[in-house]
Amino acid sequence: MKEKIRNFIIFAAVILVAFLLQNAFSLALPQEVSTPNLLLIVVCFFGLMCGSNKGIAIGFACGLLVDVFYGDVIGFNALIYMYCGLFSGIFRRWFYSEIIIMPLLLVFINDFMFNTVYYGFRLLLRNKLDYPYYFEKIILPEMIITTFCALIVYKLFYLLNEKVISKEQRSALSFDK
């Protein structure tokens, strides 16, 4: 029980820090520069390292946070982030810490899916039909900068998962009880 509360506090702190950093980047950088989607990195990494259920829960929390502060429809971003967490959690059994290309590829693909779905439901339905322009100016730069940021913070997430979060899973499997 103690480990679950500790993990909840850790997850909440990581989500809050990622949200605050993402907001700080968007305020500090000029409007023409894409900002990294740090919440998507959090969802992808925790989904990949902890499984689909935690990926969905963290995706819901991240998306709901974005919806409450910036959305005009509550639940839209939460739904997209939840699917990103589910998609990342599917690849948990193929996750190896030495192979960094898999988490980065997942972040890249999830960012593409996130922005494409966002375009489809938010802009396409408003008759904004210039997808190549949106892809060139918004999706592709954000995918690149988000993947680069994921490369930088991957080791932090891996160490956090190994040292703190997965202790609960290892203690459940030990025979020393």
Side-chain angles (χ1 to χ4, degrees):
M1 187 67 175
K2 206 175 188 183
E3 290 88 12
K4 289 185 181 188
I5 294 171
R6 185 191 67 212
N7 286 350
F8 178 79
I9 292 170
I10 290 170
F11 288 142
V14 168
I15 291 170
L16 188 62
V17 167
F19 180 72
L20 292 175
L21 280 175
Q22 185 170 329
N23 290 334
F25 282 147
S26 66
L27 292 175
L29 295 174
Q31 193 72 353
E32 296 83 30
V33 178
S34 289
T35 57
N37 194 341
L38 298 176
L39 291 174
L40 187 70
I41 293 172
V42 169
V43 171
C44 289
F45 283 170
F46 280 135
L48 182 64
M49 293 177 190
C50 300
S52 293
N53 290 338
K54 287 202 176 146
I56 290 171
I58 290 172
F60 180 73
C62 289
L64 199 58
L65 195 60
V66 171
D67 283 336
V68 165
F69 282 97
Y70 298 110
D72 47 343
V73 177
I74 300 293
F76 178 68
N77 284 308
L79 186 65
I80 299 174
Y81 278 113
M82 282 173 53
Y83 280 123
C84 290
L86 173 68
F87 180 71
S88 297
I90 291 172
F91 295 98
R92 181 174 185 218
R93 42 184 137 158
W94 296 297
F95 170 66
Y96 299 105
S97 63
E98 303 85 29
I99 304 171
I100 195 169
I101 192 72
M102 177 136 181
L104 297 180
L105 188 62
L106 268 174
V107 168
F108 191 79
I109 292 169
N110 274 324
D111 201 356
F112 174 73
M113 289 188 321
F114 177 84
N115 283 312
T116 301
V117 169
Y118 193 85
Y119 170 80
F121 283 105
R122 300 293 290 176
L123 300 174
L124 189 63
L125 291 176
R126 292 183 182 165
N127 205 17
K128 298 187 191 259
L129 303 173
D130 198 8
Y131 183 76
Y133 175 81
Y134 186 75
F135 181 80
E136 179 186 338
K137 298 293 181 188
I138 298 191
I139 294 177
L140 189 61
E142 185 181 315
M143 285 170 37
I144 292 169
I145 192 75
T146 301
T147 305
F148 180 73
C149 286
L151 176 67
I152 294 171
V153 299
Y154 169 73
K155 195 65 174 174
L156 288 170
F157 276 94
Y158 179 71
L159 289 174
L160 179 71
N161 184 49
E162 280 299 306
K163 302 287 185 202
V164 179
I165 296 170
S166 62
K167 264 187 188 176
E168 172 186 322
Q169 296 165 351
R170 282 195 302 264
S171 68
L173 297 175
S174 75
F175 296 108
D176 301 350
K177 290 186 175 184

